[in-house]
Amino acid sequence: MKNKKILILILLVIIMLGICLIMVTLNHNSKDGLKDDSESEVEMVEEKFSKIDPEEFKNKIIEELKNTKLNISDSENKNEVVTKFDDGEKFQGYVSAIITEQKDNKVTATVEIPCFKINCDSDGNFKNIEYTLEIMKGNTIGNAVKNVLKRDYGMENIDAVLGSEKFRKFIGTGTSGTVYYSSKELFVKTISEITGPIMINNHEYQFNENNCQDIIDLYDEYKTVTVGIDL
């Protein structure tokens, strides 16, 4: 009887050890599987970035920006306000939204907003894009860049890439500064065109040279972020 009890005890120990071994193995395989999936996702994102043609990407973003409120076209009292997306004059290296007020075909005032800058390696291959993430309390430019990446480059998960620690290798630091404007009145008009009427105490603000600086200070900052490979 005693030997039988010992044998049963040994069998129970063996069974428990077997169960523990199976659990450890399953847990290890599960972690390996997650690791493999994670690495695979990162590699897929890197591959999609590496296949971007810089010039094509630039042109697609410009076309996307033309469909936003940044693309101003307004005529009033023989004054015309228009936007063109071109190489910046005040922001060298960036494609900017250059908003001009013209009278009799002469530029009388300018607002320049940096939009994005595509960086390439020595062979002309895409490295990354630095783009304005926030402007005039909105993310018009950032949304345009993401729309192009989703629609034209198969990066439907770009929002997850930008928001996940797993993909931090694709996100770099940006810069910040203030938008250029030569005319306070044109800048306030630009704000209204992009964000809608400026409301103060439930009343629409009417431009006044003497009391517009506080409003301008709320809207003239921009912030960029860098996204891509080889940051």
Side-chain angles (χ1 to χ4, degrees):
M1 180 66 71
K2 185 177 181 180
N3 289 339
K4 187 175 181 180
K5 288 182 178 180
I6 293 172
L7 181 61
I8 292 172
L9 182 60
I10 292 172
L11 288 172
L12 287 173
V13 170
I14 292 172
I15 291 170
M16 291 300 295
L17 287 174
I19 292 172
C20 289
L21 181 61
I22 291 170
M23 292 298 292
V24 169
T25 302
L26 290 173
N27 187 47
H28 179 73
N29 289 339
S30 175
K31 287 182 177 179
D32 280 349
L34 289 174
K35 182 179 178 182
D36 290 343
D37 289 344
S38 177
E39 288 179 352
S40 177
E41 284 185 272
V42 170
E43 288 173 359
M44 285 175 63
V45 171
E46 188 166 13
E47 182 181 5
K48 288 177 179 179
F49 272 128
S50 67
K51 290 182 177 179
I52 289 177
D53 178 273
E55 189 66 21
E56 178 189 68
F57 192 29
K58 171 185 172 181
N59 292 332
K60 286 181 180 294
I61 297 172
I62 289 174
E63 289 303 311
E64 189 72 20
L65 288 171
K66 287 179 180 179
N67 295 319
T68 70
K69 290 184 177 181
L70 272 174
N71 192 13
I72 300 170
S73 180
D74 184 37
S75 297
E76 184 179 350
N77 299 327
K78 295 185 179 179
N79 285 356
E80 185 177 15
V81 178
V82 295
T83 301
K84 70 173 181 177
F85 298 97
D86 207 341
D87 293 338
E89 297 175 10
K90 301 298 180 179
F91 300 96
Q92 295 291 322
Y94 290 83
V95 171
S96 296
I98 303 170
I99 302 160
T100 56
E101 184 176 61
Q102 303 176 26
K103 187 173 183 178
D104 297 327
N105 294 321
K106 292 183 179 179
V107 174
T108 57
T110 304
V111 171
E112 185 172 324
I113 301 171
C115 293
F116 65 94
K117 176 172 67 173
I118 295 176
N119 299 306
C120 303
D121 62 22
S122 58
D123 295 322
N125 299 313
F126 175 82
K127 287 171 55 177
N128 54 66
I129 178 172
E130 180 187 347
Y131 64 88
T132 298
L133 182 67
E134 183 178 333
I135 185 69
M136 296 184 184
K137 302 185 179 299
N139 53 1
T140 301
I141 298 167
N143 284 339
V145 173
K146 289 192 291 184
N147 286 344
V148 171
L149 288 172
K150 290 177 183 178
R151 184 187 62 235
D152 299 311
Y153 296 96
M155 299 187 68
E156 294 84 359
N157 65 336
I158 188 62
D159 292 303
V161 171
L162 298 179
S164 171
E165 287 294 323
K166 180 170 61 177
F167 299 104
R168 295 309 298 177
K169 67 176 290 185
F170 301 115
I171 306 170
T173 57
T175 59
S176 61
T178 55
V179 169
Y180 170 80
Y181 58 91
S182 67
S183 160
K184 291 181 179 180
E185 185 172 5
L186 179 59
F187 187 65
V188 171
K189 181 178 179 65
T190 300
I191 295 170
S192 298
E193 290 287 340
I194 295 173
T195 68
I198 300 169
M199 305 300 293
I200 299 177
N201 297 326
N202 295 320
H203 295 286
E204 184 177 340
Y205 172 77
Q206 300 298 317
F207 178 79
N208 184 310
E209 181 79 27
N210 298 318
N211 67 4
C212 65
Q213 192 59 51
D214 287 344
I215 292 172
I216 291 173
D217 290 343
L218 288 173
Y219 289 93
D220 66 350
E221 292 187 358
Y222 71 88
K223 297 178 181 179
T224 71
V225 66
T226 305
V227 176
I229 49 181
D230 193 12
L231 299 174

